[in-house]
Amino acid sequence: MKKYISLLMIFGFLFFFQSCASQGSLDPKTVDTLVSSQEFTFHAERANPTNYDVINVLNSMPNATATRILNLSGDYTIDVSKNTLDVVLPYFGRLFNPTYGNTSDNSYRFTSKDFTVTKTQNKKGTWTLKFKPNDTRNVDQINIEIFKNGKALVSMRSNDRQPISYDGYISKMQEKKEKEKP
């Protein structure tokens, strides 16, 4: 009887980890379709600041781990479509020209309608998209590296702040409900 219980526990444990590992991954054909159609949403799960002041503050907190990764909770996304690039991401690091009146300008919150895109794919199937927005004043380049399983890495390069990167995944772009006008 103890053998059966231990076997059930082992199979249950393996089944649990199998179901956890399959979350957030996509089929490689789906990833290729999303990238080639240029209609997808990047969901940020973690932020990786490069500023050592931020890392030192994070490490000085009680019960802090010795990593420089911030887990994000909230809806931080980059919506990519053929005509628009809608970015809503937090920023942790040093700003060289901060705004004091409107603090929402200190994070990445903008919509670009004038940008250039460069897409490349390597031998292993990883896509690299380089966006260069022409109608924003502080973002120089956005690099999105998308792996075959749908996981993605975004790095932001700006004119007025230190670089930062984000880990997450891509998904099919959802229809946004427009506010009804009375």
Side-chain angles (χ1 to χ4, degrees), residues 44 46-48 70-77 87-93 104 106-109 156 161 164-166:
R46 288 173 292 283
N48 308 313
L70 294 167
N71 289 324
L72 300 176
S73 61
D75 194 24
Y76 297 113
T77 60
V87 177
V88 178
L89 292 173
Y91 180 74
F92 306 98
S104 67
N106 293 337
S107 62
Y108 291 114
R109 295 182 192 275
M156 304 281 282
R161 57 189 81 184
I164 188 169
S165 63
Y166 303 91

